[in-house]
Amino acid sequence: QVRLKESGGGSVQAGGSLRLSCAISGYTYNQYCLGWFRQRGGNEREGVAAIDGEGTTTYADSVKGRFSISKDNAKNTLYLQMNGLKPEDTGMYYCAAEEPVGRSTKVVPGRQPEVNQFEFWGQGILVTVSS
């Protein structure tokens, strides 16, 4: 079974930084996409960042220039470095993996990741940014 587990969340003041990690097991398909999503308030889950098998990345406009997604294939771990955090970044953050069937998705820079691109999800981790 595919399992994803987020860690590294917590509470920080505005302007601070956090590094989220996502440990992935039962999924060794490095050519497929991985992503980060978040839910803020009562809104729908939204794409934050994604990275494809070639290392191409994309970000939501709201986090561009502040967040950075990366992965370590050897460790089977996905990361999200979050700098310059703002109160509006507060929410539940989820890591996700694309279903390893068929042709993998090629990330297009500037295009926000979509929930329906991903099949496997972590349980989420809370990030709280205070003003």
Side-chain angles (χ1 to χ4, degrees), residues 43-95:
N43 294 327
E44 295 292 315
R45 192 170 300 185
E46 61 182 327
V48 174
I51 184 168
D52 67 19
E54 297 181 343
T56 304
T57 60
T58 189
Y59 300 90
D61 289 341
S62 58
V63 307
K64 194 174 301 180
R66 299 187 297 119
F67 290 11
S68 180
I69 187 172
S70 63
K71 63 176 180 177
D72 187 328
N73 289 333
K75 296 181 179 179
N76 214 19
T77 302
L78 177 71
Y79 303 97
L80 184 68
Q81 179 67 47
M82 305 185 293
N83 299 323
L85 284 163
K86 305 175 180 180
E88 53 263 42
D89 293 319
T90 294
M92 290 291 295
Y93 283 71
Y94 302 84
C95 58

Side-chain angles (χ1 to χ4, degrees), residues 3-48:
R3 292 187 175 90
L4 291 80
K5 177 65 175 178
E6 302 91 344
S7 62
S11 299
V12 297
Q13 292 186 326
S17 298
L18 284 173
R19 190 192 195 197
L20 303 183
S21 297
C22 175
I24 305 169
S25 62
Y27 187 96
T28 59
Y29 306 97
N30 296 328
Q31 71 269 38
Y32 289 92
C33 289
L34 302 172
W36 287 98
F37 293 77
R38 67 186 180 187
Q39 283 182 286
R40 298 182 291 171
N43 294 327
E44 295 292 315
R45 192 170 300 185
E46 61 182 327
V48 174

